[in-house]
Amino acid sequence: MTAASTGYRVLALSAGLSTPSSTRMLADQLTREAAAALGADGAEVEVSTVELREYAHDITDALLTRFPSERLALVIEQVRAADAVIAVTPVFNVGPSGLFKLFFDALDIELWKGRPVLLGATAGTARHSLAIDYAIRPMFSYLKSEVVPTVVFAAPADFGADTEGQADEQPLAARVRRAASELATMVRARTGEVAAAAEASADAGEDGPTAEESDGIATTDTAGGGSRLDPEFTDFVPMATLLGKG
């Protein structure tokens, strides 16, 4: 059964430090558009959002002890079950927030391998926009995640809170839609590959080669009257025969 028939799970991680926060606002926009893009073909989409600030103590304890609390373990399971993760952080000192980095430091690196991730970031000025490509994206490349090509950065002007003309030339809504569309494409491709691999594995189990064939030993198909192996092995001489000649 493919993900398209059972639905998709999208998990948003927001590292905003206040309530409300522009980081959460951006996370909500991204999840809303991602759900719309993934559900365009009729698939059900389950969206969950985790405010990392609510797990600050749990994350710190896990980093120090290497054992997650029950609360944090539930978040880890959500990550493991997610078909896609949307990770959004505020930018401080030209990098992600400490809370954001601590969360990823506390989790097993293998958890992120091959997982589709859409990155978002917010800051008080558009001058920090390059941080997402130079300080945040490299971390996910190291984690071997599949990062969506389009990342979304938002300054106060992008939310309409600034009139000094510092907003990105392309409206925030347009960038969010493009990133969400790319995420949907990536998730569908990944679930399609998984389904194809599972189907191929099932077919191999039914019609796969015998142990002798897989070892390269010649066998005869008595029903068909011919050899089922590569011609390279047609002159195969059993070891017992060779020893007997000695």
Side-chain angles (χ1 to χ4, degrees), residues 5-215:
S5 60
T6 60
Y8 299 101
R9 294 180 179 178
V10 177
L11 175 65
L13 301 172
S14 173
L17 301 182
S18 60
T19 303
S21 71
S22 59
T23 301
R24 177 59 188 266
M25 290 171 60
L26 178 58
D28 288 345
Q29 288 191 36
L30 290 170
T31 52
R32 184 165 54 249
E33 291 297 332
L38 284 168
D41 58 357
E44 294 184 3
V45 182
E46 177 184 332
V47 176
S48 302
T49 301
V50 173
E51 288 274 8
L52 295 183
R53 64 187 296 273
E54 298 177 0
Y55 298 86
H57 291 291
D58 301 88
I59 293 170
T60 302
D61 290 342
L63 190 62
L64 294 174
T65 65
R66 307 311 301 177
F67 290 100
S69 65
E70 291 185 9
R71 293 177 72 244
L72 185 59
L74 293 176
V75 175
I76 294 174
E77 287 307 311
Q78 284 182 282
V79 174
R80 197 185 308 278
D83 295 298
V85 172
I86 297 173
V88 188
T89 178
V91 173
F92 298 132
N93 299 319
V94 200
S97 71
L99 177 62
F100 186 83
K101 184 65 165 60
L102 280 176
F103 176 75
F104 290 92
D105 288 345
L107 270 59
D108 184 358
I109 186 175
E110 291 299 320
L111 195 63
W112 302 101
K113 187 175 182 180
R115 194 172 303 281
V117 176
L118 193 166
L119 296 178
T122 60
T125 170
R127 289 191 293 272
H128 291 299
S129 60
L130 293 180
I132 196 168
D133 280 316
Y134 287 93
I136 303 173
R137 187 194 289 271
M139 182 178 79
F140 286 89
S141 295
Y142 175 77
L143 295 174
K144 295 182 174 58
S145 298
E146 296 293 334
V147 180
V148 173
T150 296
V151 295
V152 181
F153 176 88
D158 293 301
F159 294 108
D162 189 313
T163 58
E164 296 181 5
Q166 294 184 7
D168 194 290
E169 292 182 1
Q170 187 177 36
L172 176 61
R175 287 179 280 136
V176 167
R177 282 194 298 270
R178 183 175 67 194
S181 176
E182 292 174 0
L183 177 65
T185 299
M186 183 179 292
V187 170
R188 290 193 185 98
R190 183 172 183 268
T191 53
E193 291 173 359
V194 171
E199 183 177 347
S201 178
D203 291 342
E206 296 176 358
D207 305 317
T210 64
E212 291 82 0
E213 290 174 330
S214 62
D215 288 336

